[in-house]
Amino acid sequence: MQLYDMPDARGHFGQFGGTFVAETLVEALDELRVMYEKYRHDPEFLAEYAYDLKHFVGRPSPIYHAKRLSDQIGGAQIFLKREDLNHTGAHKINNTIGQALLAKRMGKPRVIAETGAGQHGVATATIAARLGLECVVYMGSEDVKRQAPNVFRMKLLGATVVPVESGSKTLKDALNEAMRDWVTNVHNTFYIIGTVAGPHPYPMMVRDFQAVIGVEAKEQMMEMAGRQPDAVVACVGGGSNAMGIFYPYIDVPNVRLIGVEAAGHGIETGMHAAPLTANSPVGVLHGNRTYLMQDADGQIIETHSVSAGLDYPGVGPEHAWLKDIKRAEYVAITDDEAMSAFHNLCRTEGIIPALESSHALAHAQKMAKTMSKDQIVLVNLSGRGDKDINTVAKLANITL
Amino acid sequence: MSRIQTTFATLKQQGKTALIPYITAGDPHPKHTVNLMHTLVKNGADMIELGVPFSDPMADGPVIQRASERALVHKVGLTAVLDMVKEFRQTNQTTPIVLMGYANPIEAIGPTVFADRAKAADVDGVITVDYPPEECGEFVKELRARDIDPVFLLSPTTEPKRVELIVNQASGFVYYVSLKGVTGAANLDIVEVSARVASIRQQTNLPVGVGFGIRDAATAKATAAIADAVVVGSRMVQEIEASNDDNLLENVAALMKELKTAVDAA
C-alpha cells in the first residue's frame, strides 16, 4: 500500500499543481475529474486498458541488463527499462491509450493533442485511429519542420496536424493552441495532454497511466537481480516517463530517484530547459503552479535543448514537489553529453536511444562510474532514437 | 465608494450602459498607449480595460495574441503597464482602469507587492484570467484590503452554484463571457446571453458586463439593452492593428463614437 498520498482533492502537491485555468474550462475539468475518479478503479475500465497495453502496445516492456556498457564504465551495473520497444517507440502510448479509453466512455468523438517532437502526437493519432476517433494534433511550426517524419506518420494515421505559428513556435505554443481549441470545442472534444503538467487532474492522471512502467520494473528487478536498484534515473521535460517509473518507487526506501533535465548549451549560458536544476522561480503556466523559466516580468523565456521532447520551460508539479521534499534529486545533462551517450549506447549495446532518453543514460554513466560493481542503476529508456536520426546527422554535417 | 462603483451608480441614474473598450498596453507601441487611453475616454469610454501583455495568452484568440506579441517586442511588462496608468492618472482621475492579464506576471512579484504597486498606480480593478476563485483567495484579500476590485469572469458553462462562489469573491462588477472559446470568436447569441444575464442577476447585485463577440454597432446595441456594461476587445484591437502611426487615434476615435452611439441608443 502506498503511504505517499498526493495530490490533494484539488490537485495540489504542496504549493504546486492546482487548476489555474480560465473560467470557460472549469466545467470541462470538473467533468473530467469526476469521470476519471469514477473509472480509475473500475475493474472493467482497467481490464480494457490492460488488454490494450498487452496486445496493442506489447507490454510488459523488458528490463535489459546492459552488460557491455556496464563493463565499459567499470562501475555499477546499468539496467534499461525498454520503453523504446513499445508500439510507436516510446512510453507516450501508455498514457494516450488510457485517456482515449476515457474519452470514449465520456462520449467525446474528437480528441486533440499537443506535441513537441511528435511522439505524443503519433501516440495519440495511433490510438485515435484504433478507436475511430477524430484526431487533431497541434505542433509548433518550428517542430513541424524539425520532425517531418513524425508529421507524416500522424497524417498516415488519419490525424490532422495543425502547425502553430504563435510565440516561439514550439511545444509550449502548441499547448496554448490546444487549450484554445478545447475551450472552443469542449462539448465534443477530449484533450489528451501528453505529460504530467496541465491543470488537475492531468498531472495525476498521466502519472497513473504511466505508473505501469514502475510497477513492472519493481517486479522485473526482483526476477532479474533479486533486489531493487540503488538508483532509478529518467529524463525530465514535463516529466511523464520519470513520474511513471518514480511513482511506484516513492515509498521504497534506499532507492534514489534521479530526474535528468536538459542543460542544453550549459546551465550557465541560459540556453537550457532545466528549471529545477537552474533554481527557476515558482510561477503559473498551462494550468498549474510549478518551477518555471521566466524573466523578471514573469514572461516565459525560450528554452533550448537538442531534444525537442525536453524543450519545455516548466516541469510537472509533482516533480517540483518531489524536489522540495527531497525525495527525488534533479540534475542536468548538456546537449554534448547526451549526444555522446547516444552514440555510446548505439555501439556498445546495439540500441539507438531517443535523444531525450540519452540524457538519462549520460547521467547514469556518470554516476555508475562512482559506484561499485554490485550496485545497480536502472535507467528508463523512454524511447527509441529512430525519430532523431535527422537531428543527429545534421549535427555531424551528414546529409541523409 | 470605488471609482468603478461610482461609475456604475452614475450611469444607472442616467439610465445608461457602460462602454468598456479593451486595449493591450504597449500595442502597437508603448509611446501610443496613454494617448490611446485618453482618446478612448474622450470618445465615450466609461471605463478602460488595459491588457497586460503575456508571452502565453492561452485564453485569447489570434487578434489579442498578436497585440501581446507587438507589445512584448518593446518589453512591455507589468511594471511598464503600471507606469502607463500613473501617467494617465496625471490628467484623468475619474475613469476607472481595470487591468486584465494572466497570473504569472503577478506570481513573479507576489500578490502583496502587486497589490501595493497597483494601488500606487491608482488601478481600480484587476481581472486575472487564469486565477479561478479557488486558487486566488490570498490575492483577492490583498486587492480588497486596498479597495481594488477583483473582477471575475463568468462563462456560459458556469453552473449556478459556481456563480455564487464567484460573485462572493468579486466586487466592482462581474464579466459575463458571452461565448465559449477564446476572445475574438464569432457569433453572439443574444437570446441566450440575455437569459444567462437575467439568471446571474438573480444571484448578485453586482453590475454585469458582457464581452466576447461584440464587433459592431448592432451587436453593441443589442448587448447594451441587456447588460450594465458592454466590453469591446478584439474589435478594438483589430482597429489598432489595421492603423498606422498617423491615423491610429483618429480611427480608434471613429470606432468608439460609433459604438457609443449604439450603446446609448439601446
Side-chain angles (χ1 to χ4, degrees):
Chain A
M1 202 57 218
Q2 295 250 180
L3 301 169
Y4 176 86
D5 184 22
M6 282 294 198
D8 72 12
R10 293 214 324 252
H12 296 109
F13 303 87
Q15 67 164 319
F16 304 107
T19 315
F20 293 87
V21 294
E23 183 57 31
T24 336
L25 277 181
V26 169
E27 205 213 34
L29 286 165
D30 271 352
E31 184 195 7
L32 177 60
R33 191 174 44 75
V34 168
M35 294 305 268
Y36 181 59
E37 278 307 322
K38 179 174 167 190
Y39 287 114
R40 65 187 294 203
H41 303 298
D42 177 66
E44 218 173 283
F45 178 81
L46 292 175
E48 198 178 341
Y49 177 56
Y51 182 92
D52 268 6
L53 288 184
K54 183 174 175 189
H55 298 281
F56 189 61
V57 178
R59 301 203 73 91
S61 67
I63 279 189
Y64 169 75
H65 182 185
K67 285 198 186 104
R68 258 173 51 85
L69 177 67
S70 306
D71 286 350
Q72 179 206 47
I73 304 289
Q77 301 306 304
I78 296 178
F79 284 68
L80 307 176
K81 176 65 172 162
R82 298 290 309 275
E83 292 299 298
D84 60 315
L85 294 177
N86 291 341
H87 178 41
T88 72
H91 71 290
K92 292 290 186 190
I93 190 95
N94 302 329
N95 167 52
T96 59
I97 289 182
Q99 290 195 45
L101 290 176
L102 196 55
K104 227 181 116 183
R105 278 183 164 62
M106 289 170 70
K108 309 271 183 183
R110 178 174 182 268
V111 296
I112 58 170
E114 84 294 341
T115 197
Q119 290 307 103
H120 173 60
V122 168
T124 304
T126 298
I127 189 63
R130 158 144 158 53
L131 296 177
L133 303 168
E134 185 193 343
C135 178
V136 176
V137 179
Y138 291 93
M139 190 168 183
S141 61
E142 279 301 312
D143 290 333
V144 168
K145 273 182 247 161
R146 287 194 287 193
Q147 310 287 339
N150 269 344
V151 174
F152 189 59
R153 287 167 82 194
M154 288 183 262
K155 288 181 179 168
L156 286 175
L157 292 160
T160 305
V161 179
V162 181
V164 176
E165 300 287 349
S166 57
S168 58
K169 305 176 172 59
T170 59
L171 177 59
K172 77 173 175 70
D173 309 286
L175 221 152
N176 293 337
E177 207 57 38
M179 286 267 189
R180 293 186 183 110
D181 179 315
W182 199 33
V183 171
T184 311
N185 300 300
V186 74
H187 57 286
N188 74 343
T189 297
F190 189 106
Y191 180 16
I192 299 185
I193 292 186
T195 192
V196 285
H200 180 63
Y202 284 102
M204 173 180 82
M205 180 169 68
V206 176
R207 173 198 73 191
D208 293 350
F209 287 135
Q210 292 293 1
V212 62
I213 304 172
V215 169
E216 286 175 6
K218 267 167 87 174
E219 269 182 41
Q220 291 165 318
M221 285 309 302
M222 291 311 287
E223 284 164 22
M224 288 196 68
R227 68 184 191 89
Q228 296 303 338
D230 298 280
V232 176
V233 181
C235 63
V236 176
S240 68
N241 89 79
M243 265 332 298
I245 197 163
F246 286 178
Y247 183 55
Y249 276 108
I250 289 176
D251 284 334
V252 181
N254 305 321
V255 178
R256 289 172 66 190
L257 305 177
I258 301 168
V260 184
E261 296 185 302
H265 294 318
I267 299 286
E268 69 288 350
T269 65
M271 294 183 69
H272 59 82
L276 294 176
T277 312
N279 293 313
S280 298
V282 173
V284 166
L285 182 70
H286 296 151
N288 67 91
R289 184 180 274 135
T290 188
Y291 290 110
L292 266 185
M293 292 174 58
Q294 55 184 303
D295 67 15
D297 271 335
Q299 310 294 352
I300 309 307
I301 54 180
E302 285 192 24
T303 53
H304 170 81
S305 168
V306 69
S307 94
L310 302 183
D311 213 348
Y312 182 68
V315 63
E318 193 161 13
H319 285 296
W321 170 248
L322 291 176
K323 183 194 178 194
D324 274 19
I325 63 166
K326 297 186 164 56
R327 178 60 190 94
E329 307 154 54
Y330 293 88
V331 296
I333 284 291
T334 64
D335 287 354
D336 290 347
E337 291 171 314
M339 288 307 299
S340 147
F342 170 91
H343 287 296
N344 198 37
L345 193 74
C346 290
R347 297 194 181 185
T348 56
E349 297 289 353
I351 297 169
I352 302 177
L355 288 179
E356 290 79 8
S357 322
S358 300
H359 287 72
L361 284 165
H363 184 72
Q365 293 182 23
K366 260 192 204 175
M367 65 182 292
K369 227 175 264 180
T370 68
M371 297 164 72
S372 67
K373 286 190 173 164
D374 57 354
Q375 290 187 294
I376 297 173
V377 175
L378 172 63
V379 179
N380 196 12
L381 194 69
S382 55
R384 66 178 182 229
D386 305 49
K387 70 180 174 60
D388 295 313
I389 55 172
N390 287 317
T391 308
V392 175
K394 207 174 152 195
L395 285 171
N397 283 318
I398 296 166
T399 313
L400 294 182
Chain B
M1 243 200 308
S2 76
R3 249 190 223 111
I4 294 176
Q5 287 166 350
T6 309
T7 301
F8 277 112
T10 309
L11 288 168
K12 197 173 182 182
Q13 276 180 349
Q14 301 168 347
K16 283 184 174 172
T17 302
L19 175 59
I20 312 179
Y22 165 97
I23 59 171
T24 301
D27 171 41
H29 188 285
K31 69 180 177 193
H32 291 304
T33 303
V34 174
N35 286 337
L36 269 171
M37 291 165 77
H38 288 304
T39 302
L40 294 171
V41 174
K42 216 179 296 169
N43 294 282
D46 299 295
M47 200 182 300
I48 294 173
E49 239 181 70
L50 190 60
V52 180
F54 183 50
S55 52
D56 293 77
M58 277 173 302
D60 285 298
V63 172
I64 290 180
Q65 205 184 330
R66 285 196 299 271
S68 242
E69 287 175 9
R70 285 192 293 271
L72 286 173
V73 168
H74 304 286
K75 307 246 176 259
V76 176
L78 195 47
T79 307
V81 176
L82 291 173
D83 285 343
M84 290 170 184
V85 177
K86 269 185 207 159
E87 195 188 329
F88 173 79
R89 280 277 175 254
Q90 287 172 8
T91 50
N92 181 322
Q93 287 90 43
T94 52
T95 309
I97 302 294
V98 177
L99 297 186
M100 181 162 187
Y102 291 80
N104 201 54
I106 295 168
E107 295 262 316
I109 54 173
T112 312
V113 173
F114 169 78
D116 280 340
R117 290 197 195 164
K119 188 68 194 171
D122 217 351
V123 164
D124 302 286
V126 181
I127 304 172
T128 314
V129 177
D130 50 353
Y131 261 163
E134 292 91 340
E135 299 283 7
C136 67
E138 192 199 337
F139 177 65
V140 166
K141 244 187 350 208
E142 297 287 353
L143 290 183
R144 297 188 80 157
R146 290 164 185 78
D147 290 320
I148 299 173
D149 290 316
V151 176
F152 285 91
L153 304 180
L154 298 170
S155 92
T157 56
T158 309
E159 300 283 341
K161 212 175 139 196
R162 248 190 98 67
V163 172
E164 194 181 316
L165 171 79
I166 293 171
V167 298
N168 284 338
Q169 300 257 1
S171 63
F173 65 104
V174 289
Y175 181 170
Y176 179 67
V177 170
S178 54
L179 293 170
K180 291 178 194 168
V182 294
T183 53
N187 295 335
L188 182 75
D189 181 345
I190 202 73
V191 178
E192 196 193 323
V193 173
S194 174
R196 287 296 310 224
V197 170
S199 123
I200 292 165
R201 286 195 202 285
Q202 290 182 349
Q203 293 186 257
T204 183
N205 292 321
L206 288 172
V208 182
V210 173
F212 282 36
I214 295 154
R215 45 204 329 102
D216 52 22
T219 42
K221 186 178 169 188
T223 308
I226 53 168
D228 299 302
V230 176
V231 186
V232 183
S234 296
R235 178 67 190 89
M236 198 57 64
V237 173
Q238 265 170 354
E239 197 65 27
I240 292 170
E241 188 172 39
S243 301
N244 57 44
D245 273 9
D246 297 327
N247 62 17
L248 175 68
L249 297 182
E250 193 185 320
N251 289 352
V252 167
L255 175 63
M256 276 301 295
K257 276 182 193 144
E258 185 189 333
L259 293 168
K260 185 66 176 178
T261 308
V263 167
D264 281 350

PDB file of all heavy atoms in Angstrom, chain A residues 250-274:
ATOM      1  N   ILE A 250       8.349   5.587  -4.857  1.00  0.00           N
ATOM      2  CA  ILE A 250       8.447   6.677  -3.884  1.00  0.00           C
ATOM      3  C   ILE A 250       8.512   6.150  -2.453  1.00  0.00           C
ATOM      4  O   ILE A 250       9.287   6.647  -1.631  1.00  0.00           O
ATOM      5  CB  ILE A 250       7.264   7.677  -4.061  1.00  0.00           C
ATOM      6  CG1 ILE A 250       7.454   8.474  -5.356  1.00  0.00           C
ATOM      7  CG2 ILE A 250       7.172   8.641  -2.867  1.00  0.00           C
ATOM      8  CD1 ILE A 250       6.330   9.428  -5.701  1.00  0.00           C
ATOM      9  N   ASP A 251       7.736   5.106  -2.172  1.00  0.00           N
ATOM     10  CA  ASP A 251       7.720   4.561  -0.811  1.00  0.00           C
ATOM     11  C   ASP A 251       8.749   3.456  -0.577  1.00  0.00           C
ATOM     12  O   ASP A 251       8.781   2.863   0.494  1.00  0.00           O
ATOM     13  CB  ASP A 251       6.322   4.014  -0.490  1.00  0.00           C
ATOM     14  CG  ASP A 251       5.329   5.130  -0.194  1.00  0.00           C
ATOM     15  OD1 ASP A 251       5.779   6.212   0.239  1.00  0.00           O
ATOM     16  OD2 ASP A 251       4.125   4.921  -0.406  1.00  0.00           O
ATOM     17  N   VAL A 252       9.571   3.172  -1.580  1.00  0.00           N
ATOM     18  CA  VAL A 252      10.584   2.119  -1.402  1.00  0.00           C
ATOM     19  C   VAL A 252      11.860   2.768  -0.854  1.00  0.00           C
ATOM     20  O   VAL A 252      12.460   3.599  -1.527  1.00  0.00           O
ATOM     21  CB  VAL A 252      10.886   1.403  -2.735  1.00  0.00           C
ATOM     22  CG1 VAL A 252      11.927   0.304  -2.521  1.00  0.00           C
ATOM     23  CG2 VAL A 252       9.614   0.834  -3.347  1.00  0.00           C
ATOM     24  N   PRO A 253      12.255   2.401   0.353  1.00  0.00           N
ATOM     25  CA  PRO A 253      13.414   3.076   0.937  1.00  0.00           C
ATOM     26  C   PRO A 253      14.708   2.701   0.214  1.00  0.00           C
ATOM     27  O   PRO A 253      14.797   1.646  -0.420  1.00  0.00           O
ATOM     28  CB  PRO A 253      13.426   2.566   2.388  1.00  0.00           C
ATOM     29  CG  PRO A 253      12.605   1.322   2.391  1.00  0.00           C
ATOM     30  CD  PRO A 253      11.667   1.379   1.230  1.00  0.00           C
ATOM     31  N   ASN A 254      15.683   3.559   0.291  1.00  0.00           N
ATOM     32  CA  ASN A 254      17.021   3.310  -0.254  1.00  0.00           C
ATOM     33  C   ASN A 254      17.079   3.208  -1.773  1.00  0.00           C
ATOM     34  O   ASN A 254      18.054   2.689  -2.307  1.00  0.00           O
ATOM     35  CB  ASN A 254      17.648   2.046   0.356  1.00  0.00           C
ATOM     36  CG  ASN A 254      17.682   2.120   1.870  1.00  0.00           C
ATOM     37  OD1 ASN A 254      17.952   3.181   2.430  1.00  0.00           O
ATOM     38  ND2 ASN A 254      17.352   1.014   2.523  1.00  0.00           N
ATOM     39  N   VAL A 255      16.034   3.626  -2.462  1.00  0.00           N
ATOM     40  CA  VAL A 255      16.139   3.732  -3.916  1.00  0.00           C
ATOM     41  C   VAL A 255      16.177   5.224  -4.254  1.00  0.00           C
ATOM     42  O   VAL A 255      15.202   5.940  -4.024  1.00  0.00           O
ATOM     43  CB  VAL A 255      14.952   3.061  -4.635  1.00  0.00           C
ATOM     44  CG1 VAL A 255      15.066   3.244  -6.148  1.00  0.00           C
ATOM     45  CG2 VAL A 255      14.878   1.579  -4.284  1.00  0.00           C
ATOM     46  N   ARG A 256      17.333   5.669  -4.746  1.00  0.00           N
ATOM     47  CA  ARG A 256      17.430   7.092  -5.126  1.00  0.00           C
ATOM     48  C   ARG A 256      16.663   7.313  -6.425  1.00  0.00           C
ATOM     49  O   ARG A 256      16.725   6.495  -7.343  1.00  0.00           O
ATOM     50  CB  ARG A 256      18.893   7.494  -5.342  1.00  0.00           C
ATOM     51  CG  ARG A 256      19.695   7.574  -4.061  1.00  0.00           C
ATOM     52  CD  ARG A 256      21.174   7.778  -4.383  1.00  0.00           C
ATOM     53  NE  ARG A 256      21.430   9.085  -5.005  1.00  0.00           N
ATOM     54  CZ  ARG A 256      22.616   9.417  -5.557  1.00  0.00           C
ATOM     55  NH1 ARG A 256      23.607   8.530  -5.599  1.00  0.00           N
ATOM     56  NH2 ARG A 256      22.784  10.614  -6.071  1.00  0.00           N
ATOM     57  N   LEU A 257      15.933   8.407  -6.506  1.00  0.00           N
ATOM     58  CA  LEU A 257      15.199   8.760  -7.723  1.00  0.00           C
ATOM     59  C   LEU A 257      15.880   9.999  -8.306  1.00  0.00           C
ATOM     60  O   LEU A 257      15.988  11.021  -7.629  1.00  0.00           O
ATOM     61  CB  LEU A 257      13.736   9.057  -7.406  1.00  0.00           C
ATOM     62  CG  LEU A 257      12.983   7.941  -6.658  1.00  0.00           C
ATOM     63  CD1 LEU A 257      11.556   8.384  -6.334  1.00  0.00           C
ATOM     64  CD2 LEU A 257      12.971   6.649  -7.470  1.00  0.00           C
ATOM     65  N   ILE A 258      16.333   9.888  -9.550  1.00  0.00           N
ATOM     66  CA  ILE A 258      17.103  10.995 -10.137  1.00  0.00           C
ATOM     67  C   ILE A 258      16.506  11.406 -11.477  1.00  0.00           C
ATOM     68  O   ILE A 258      16.445  10.613 -12.417  1.00  0.00           O
ATOM     69  CB  ILE A 258      18.582  10.593 -10.306  1.00  0.00           C
ATOM     70  CG1 ILE A 258      19.148  10.213  -8.929  1.00  0.00           C
ATOM     71  CG2 ILE A 258      19.385  11.742 -10.920  1.00  0.00           C
ATOM     72  CD1 ILE A 258      20.474   9.530  -8.979  1.00  0.00           C
ATOM     73  N   GLY A 259      16.039  12.642 -11.543  1.00  0.00           N
ATOM     74  CA  GLY A 259      15.488  13.189 -12.773  1.00  0.00           C
ATOM     75  C   GLY A 259      16.568  13.982 -13.494  1.00  0.00           C
ATOM     76  O   GLY A 259      17.287  14.767 -12.875  1.00  0.00           O
ATOM     77  N   VAL A 260      16.659  13.787 -14.807  1.00  0.00           N
ATOM     78  CA  VAL A 260      17.715  14.432 -15.574  1.00  0.00           C
ATOM     79  C   VAL A 260      17.097  15.425 -16.553  1.00  0.00           C
ATOM     80  O   VAL A 260      16.370  15.049 -17.472  1.00  0.00           O
ATOM     81  CB  VAL A 260      18.556  13.392 -16.341  1.00  0.00           C
ATOM     82  CG1 VAL A 260      19.721  14.081 -17.050  1.00  0.00           C
ATOM     83  CG2 VAL A 260      19.063  12.306 -15.400  1.00  0.00           C
ATOM     84  N   GLU A 261      17.382  16.701 -16.327  1.00  0.00           N
ATOM     85  CA  GLU A 261      16.862  17.756 -17.206  1.00  0.00           C
ATOM     86  C   GLU A 261      17.861  18.033 -18.330  1.00  0.00           C
ATOM     87  O   GLU A 261      18.998  17.561 -18.298  1.00  0.00           O
ATOM     88  CB  GLU A 261      16.631  19.034 -16.394  1.00  0.00           C
ATOM     89  CG  GLU A 261      15.555  18.884 -15.325  1.00  0.00           C
ATOM     90  CD  GLU A 261      15.264  20.204 -14.634  1.00  0.00           C
ATOM     91  OE1 GLU A 261      16.197  20.815 -14.067  1.00  0.00           O
ATOM     92  OE2 GLU A 261      14.096  20.629 -14.668  1.00  0.00           O
ATOM     93  N   ALA A 262      17.405  18.853 -19.278  1.00  0.00           N
ATOM     94  CA  ALA A 262      18.257  19.205 -20.404  1.00  0.00           C
ATOM     95  C   ALA A 262      19.034  20.486 -20.101  1.00  0.00           C
ATOM     96  O   ALA A 262      18.437  21.552 -19.957  1.00  0.00           O
ATOM     97  CB  ALA A 262      17.409  19.398 -21.656  1.00  0.00           C
ATOM     98  N   ALA A 263      20.362  20.372 -20.004  1.00  0.00           N
ATOM     99  CA  ALA A 263      21.195  21.553 -19.758  1.00  0.00           C
ATOM    100  C   ALA A 263      21.518  22.294 -21.057  1.00  0.00           C
ATOM    101  O   ALA A 263      22.174  23.338 -21.027  1.00  0.00           O
ATOM    102  CB  ALA A 263      22.476  21.160 -19.039  1.00  0.00           C
ATOM    103  N   GLY A 264      21.085  21.758 -22.197  1.00  0.00           N
ATOM    104  CA  GLY A 264      21.306  22.442 -23.477  1.00  0.00           C
ATOM    105  C   GLY A 264      22.765  22.778 -23.697  1.00  0.00           C
ATOM    106  O   GLY A 264      23.639  21.916 -23.627  1.00  0.00           O
ATOM    107  N   HIS A 265      23.041  24.073 -23.920  1.00  0.00           N
ATOM    108  CA  HIS A 265      24.430  24.509 -24.103  1.00  0.00           C
ATOM    109  C   HIS A 265      25.134  24.707 -22.774  1.00  0.00           C
ATOM    110  O   HIS A 265      26.278  25.154 -22.725  1.00  0.00           O
ATOM    111  CB  HIS A 265      24.465  25.819 -24.896  1.00  0.00           C
ATOM    112  CG  HIS A 265      23.990  25.675 -26.318  1.00  0.00           C
ATOM    113  ND1 HIS A 265      24.343  24.610 -27.102  1.00  0.00           N
ATOM    114  CD2 HIS A 265      23.191  26.458 -27.089  1.00  0.00           C
ATOM    115  CE1 HIS A 265      23.791  24.731 -28.300  1.00  0.00           C
ATOM    116  NE2 HIS A 265      23.064  25.837 -28.313  1.00  0.00           N
ATOM    117  N   GLY A 266      24.445  24.440 -21.668  1.00  0.00           N
ATOM    118  CA  GLY A 266      25.032  24.644 -20.336  1.00  0.00           C
ATOM    119  C   GLY A 266      24.141  25.556 -19.517  1.00  0.00           C
ATOM    120  O   GLY A 266      23.652  26.567 -20.045  1.00  0.00           O
ATOM    121  N   ILE A 267      23.919  25.202 -18.247  1.00  0.00           N
ATOM    122  CA  ILE A 267      23.037  26.000 -17.394  1.00  0.00           C
ATOM    123  C   ILE A 267      23.503  27.455 -17.362  1.00  0.00           C
ATOM    124  O   ILE A 267      22.711  28.392 -17.433  1.00  0.00           O
ATOM    125  CB  ILE A 267      23.018  25.428 -15.953  1.00  0.00           C
ATOM    126  CG1 ILE A 267      22.494  23.987 -15.944  1.00  0.00           C
ATOM    127  CG2 ILE A 267      22.198  26.318 -15.021  1.00  0.00           C
ATOM    128  CD1 ILE A 267      21.026  23.820 -16.138  1.00  0.00           C
ATOM    129  N   GLU A 268      24.843  27.640 -17.306  1.00  0.00           N
ATOM    130  CA  GLU A 268      25.396  28.991 -17.154  1.00  0.00           C
ATOM    131  C   GLU A 268      25.133  29.864 -18.384  1.00  0.00           C
ATOM    132  O   GLU A 268      25.150  31.083 -18.298  1.00  0.00           O
ATOM    133  CB  GLU A 268      26.898  28.916 -16.821  1.00  0.00           C
ATOM    134  CG  GLU A 268      27.816  28.404 -17.956  1.00  0.00           C
ATOM    135  CD  GLU A 268      27.675  26.899 -18.238  1.00  0.00           C
ATOM    136  OE1 GLU A 268      27.013  26.188 -17.457  1.00  0.00           O
ATOM    137  OE2 GLU A 268      28.221  26.444 -19.270  1.00  0.00           O
ATOM    138  N   THR A 269      24.860  29.248 -19.541  1.00  0.00           N
ATOM    139  CA  THR A 269      24.610  30.035 -20.752  1.00  0.00           C
ATOM    140  C   THR A 269      23.175  30.574 -20.802  1.00  0.00           C
ATOM    141  O   THR A 269      22.857  31.434 -21.623  1.00  0.00           O
ATOM    142  CB  THR A 269      24.809  29.190 -22.033  1.00  0.00           C
ATOM    143  OG1 THR A 269      23.796  28.154 -22.051  1.00  0.00           O
ATOM    144  CG2 THR A 269      26.186  28.546 -22.066  1.00  0.00           C
ATOM    145  N   GLY A 270      22.300  30.037 -19.936  1.00  0.00           N
ATOM    146  CA  GLY A 270      20.892  30.422 -20.005  1.00  0.00           C
ATOM    147  C   GLY A 270      20.147  29.686 -21.100  1.00  0.00           C
ATOM    148  O   GLY A 270      18.925  29.716 -21.157  1.00  0.00           O
ATOM    149  N   MET A 271      20.874  29.014 -21.994  1.00  0.00           N
ATOM    150  CA  MET A 271      20.222  28.289 -23.094  1.00  0.00           C
ATOM    151  C   MET A 271      20.057  26.823 -22.717  1.00  0.00           C
ATOM    152  O   MET A 271      20.878  25.977 -23.067  1.00  0.00           O
ATOM    153  CB  MET A 271      21.037  28.429 -24.382  1.00  0.00           C
ATOM    154  CG  MET A 271      21.058  29.861 -24.892  1.00  0.00           C
ATOM    155  SD  MET A 271      21.942  29.981 -26.447  1.00  0.00           S
ATOM    156  CE  MET A 271      20.818  29.123 -27.532  1.00  0.00           C
ATOM    157  N   HIS A 272      18.992  26.571 -21.945  1.00  0.00           N
ATOM    158  CA  HIS A 272      18.763  25.221 -21.445  1.00  0.00           C
ATOM    159  C   HIS A 272      17.269  25.034 -21.260  1.00  0.00           C
ATOM    160  O   HIS A 272      16.475  25.910 -21.613  1.00  0.00           O
ATOM    161  CB  HIS A 272      19.521  25.015 -20.128  1.00  0.00           C
ATOM    162  CG  HIS A 272      19.129  25.980 -19.047  1.00  0.00           C
ATOM    163  ND1 HIS A 272      18.015  25.804 -18.254  1.00  0.00           N
ATOM    164  CD2 HIS A 272      19.688  27.158 -18.645  1.00  0.00           C
ATOM    165  CE1 HIS A 272      17.915  26.813 -17.407  1.00  0.00           C
ATOM    166  NE2 HIS A 272      18.913  27.651 -17.623  1.00  0.00           N
ATOM    167  N   ALA A 273      16.898  23.883 -20.722  1.00  0.00           N
ATOM    168  CA  ALA A 273      15.491  23.625 -20.416  1.00  0.00           C
ATOM    169  C   ALA A 273      15.438  22.899 -19.075  1.00  0.00           C
ATOM    170  O   ALA A 273      14.823  21.852 -18.938  1.00  0.00           O
ATOM    171  CB  ALA A 273      14.841  22.799 -21.526  1.00  0.00           C
ATOM    172  N   ALA A 274      16.105  23.488 -18.082  1.00  0.00           N
ATOM    173  CA  ALA A 274      16.289  22.818 -16.798  1.00  0.00           C
ATOM    174  C   ALA A 274      15.830  23.691 -15.627  1.00  0.00           C
ATOM    175  O   ALA A 274      16.631  24.140 -14.820  1.00  0.00           O
ATOM    176  CB  ALA A 274      17.758  22.442 -16.623  1.00  0.00           C
TER     177      ALA A 274
END
